[in-house]
Amino acid sequence: MTAATALSPTGFDWVCQLVRRESAIVLAPGKEYLVEARLLPVARSLGLSGVAELVDRVRARPDAALSRRIVEALTTNETSWFRDGDPFTALTSTVLPALQAARRPGEALRIWSAACSSGQEAYTVAMLLADALPNASGRVQITATDLSRDMVARTRAGRFSQLEVNRGLPASMLVRHFCRVGTEWEVAPQLRAMVTASELNLAAPLPRLGPFDVVYLRNVLIYFDPATKRDVLQRVRRLMRPDGWLFLGAAETTLGVDDTWERVACGRGSAYRPTRGA
């Protein structure tokens, strides 16, 4: 990369401000390499010489669609099946029995996979509940949301490459819950019937969703500043049932951020529940 095509400090600051304004994600100093790597394919797709020209173009001629492409390119969509394990095994070993004991028979179970990426998390939950509950497709509603339009489209499609299914998906579940379509694997219709995917920005006012019994909000808060973390947690809590369960990423916590949650042991890990009266 030549000096002429490298992103300037002013250009990097502009990108940081755009991403923070549109998604609340904080890009710290030192992330210039990440911005260059993520935005270079966008620049090349437009026939531009590099990221600097891309940024200069949007700054000179504001373009909402192109700004959105920049923001989406800089969101992290890392995911896999049964990622980190414990939050999923706890669903059927601890959370589901507790919810069933407290609810009327036949009452729908509502789960939110926030920041769902390409859908592996939502469909992992769907597979577990399909194996645990009779007629799960009629009893379970999974809402999958993501900031990225492309990720939402992929979740709706429910198709995954061989490389993607190799990342954490047990062979027995692949055989039981997927069918081969060309070079890809497609989620079975009964699982897709359980999952509804839509675009949603967690840092903006949330639409009327829920109320949810379980929320997976994993590996998201780490990208926000403390004030945004607190705001997101408070908005999420308002969409949950009083006896709901919240799962965060292994490096995330509500402690010291929002005291309206209590941390509880859940399987081999932990979860968070709304405090009474909060």
Side-chain angles (χ1 to χ4, degrees):
M1 182 178 300
T2 66
T5 60
L7 188 62
S8 68
T10 300
F12 175 72
D13 289 343
W14 182 88
V15 171
C16 292
Q17 292 171 19
L18 171 68
V19 171
R20 184 161 188 164
R21 183 173 65 249
E22 297 298 326
S23 70
I25 293 172
V26 176
L27 291 173
K31 295 291 186 180
E32 290 86 351
Y33 71 95
L34 175 68
V35 171
E36 291 275 5
R38 295 282 184 86
L39 295 188
L40 186 57
V42 178
R44 293 276 171 79
S45 73
L46 297 171
L48 304 177
S49 61
V51 176
E53 187 177 357
L54 169 66
V55 171
D56 289 345
R57 171 172 165 174
V58 183
R59 292 178 68 190
R61 299 191 302 277
D63 182 324
L66 189 50
S67 293
R68 182 187 179 98
R69 285 186 67 185
I70 290 172
V71 173
E72 291 194 6
L74 289 166
T75 59
T76 300
N77 295 308
E78 171 64 21
T79 189
S80 60
W81 307 94
F82 295 90
R83 186 179 181 185
D84 301 328
D86 289 346
F88 299 107
T89 55
L91 177 65
T92 50
S93 68
T94 303
V95 175
L96 183 59
L99 291 173
Q100 288 178 313
R103 302 293 170 79
R104 294 188 301 271
E107 188 173 6
L109 179 64
R110 305 189 71 179
I111 298 174
W112 182 14
S113 171
C116 66
S117 189
S118 46
Q120 283 91 327
E121 180 176 83
Y123 288 119
T124 294
V125 171
M127 287 187 291
L128 286 170
L129 294 177
D131 289 344
L133 294 172
N135 189 32
S137 60
R139 300 170 59 186
V140 176
Q141 299 171 12
I142 302 171
T143 299
T145 65
D146 201 272
L147 176 68
S148 168
R149 183 173 297 166
D150 289 344
M151 292 297 104
V152 169
R154 291 208 56 207
T155 300
R156 287 175 179 159
R159 286 195 178 189
F160 302 92
S161 68
Q162 185 67 54
L163 179 62
E164 288 170 323
V165 299
N166 286 346
R167 296 193 64 197
L169 183 61
S172 59
M173 284 191 160
L174 177 64
V175 171
R176 192 158 63 249
H177 295 295
F178 290 75
C179 59
R180 193 70 181 258
V181 178
T183 60
E184 297 181 309
W185 292 90
E186 185 173 271
V187 177
Q190 60 267 30
L191 293 189
R192 293 176 67 188
M194 297 163 64
V195 177
T196 301
S198 60
E199 295 175 44
L200 186 143
N201 184 347
L202 287 167
L206 300 179
R208 193 179 298 275
L209 299 171
F212 294 108
D213 300 289
V214 183
V215 175
Y216 285 89
L217 181 68
R218 303 192 310 132
N219 306 305
V220 180
L221 297 180
I222 54 175
Y223 298 106
F224 299 147
D225 63 27
T228 303
K229 290 179 184 180
R230 183 172 58 254
D231 289 344
V232 170
L233 286 167
Q234 291 176 351
R235 286 195 289 267
V236 168
R237 178 172 46 77
R238 288 194 286 268
L239 298 180
M240 293 181 67
R241 293 186 187 273
D243 62 347
W245 301 73
L246 170 68
F247 288 99
L248 301 178
E252 297 168 323
T253 182
T254 66
L255 302 177
V257 180
D258 181 4
D259 61 5
T260 61
W261 300 88
E262 62 175 337
R263 184 175 181 174
V264 297
C266 189
R268 295 183 301 174
S270 60
Y272 298 85
R273 309 194 72 184
T275 54
R276 295 186 183 277

